Amino acid sequence: LCADEAVSPLLVSFGQLVSRVFPHLYFYPLKASALSRDKAVVRAYRDDPLVFNQPVRARTASAVVDASRRLRQQITHLRLPLLIVHGSADGIAPVAGSEYLYQHAGSPDKTLEIYPEHFHELHNEPEQAAFFDDVLAWLDDH
């Protein structure tokens, strides 16, 4: 869920224009180093031949923004129990998106866990055992 304040409206508008004219243009770089604080995880990601290690293409970035907008319009209808987890130092997806989901989801049973100083892939952080324990405990409760 993209947070409106996390992406410049000018960049969004420019990206949508570029996606129509040059959909395959590399547009937005994702840094592998933002995935995890575990350098071995980052190295494995970079070395994996099955990982697309190029910036996000303009059409893909535009589709993510459009999907996020549609999701925001429907989020109050969400009634399932929710466990929302996010790293506070996530450099790929702003924590504000998870906070928005928590605040606006229609589910009466929702939990938001922000992991201090953690990056994007919580399951690949050095403290992954504690993360998995938290998820399993939540699942056991539900």
Side-chain angles (χ1 to χ4, degrees), residues 1 5 75-76 82 84 95-107 110 112:
L1 199 62
E5 64 275 4
I75 205 159
T76 58
L82 293 175
I84 306 160
V95 72
S98 289
E99 291 167 340
Y100 184 93
L101 174 60
Y102 180 76
Q103 292 165 2
H104 295 91
S107 175
K110 52 190 174 183
L112 174 63

Side-chain angles (χ1 to χ4, degrees), residues 37 83-90 95 111-123 125 127-138:
R37 292 173 294 137
L83 172 61
I84 306 160
V85 296
H86 211 113
S88 71
D90 188 335
V95 72
T111 303
L112 174 63
E113 292 290 337
I114 306 294
Y115 289 82
E117 303 306 314
H118 285 53
F119 284 13
H120 187 69
E121 291 187 351
L122 299 172
H123 63 286
E125 286 287 66
E127 303 84 0
Q128 62 180 251
F131 167 72
F132 285 122
D133 287 346
D134 292 347
V135 171
L136 289 173
W138 187 88

Side-chain angles (χ1 to χ4, degrees), residues 25-42:
L25 182 72
Y26 295 126
F27 184 70
Y28 187 80
L30 290 179
K31 296 179 183 176
S33 60
L35 292 175
S36 173
R37 292 173 294 137
D38 185 332
K39 302 223 184 294
V41 168
V42 173

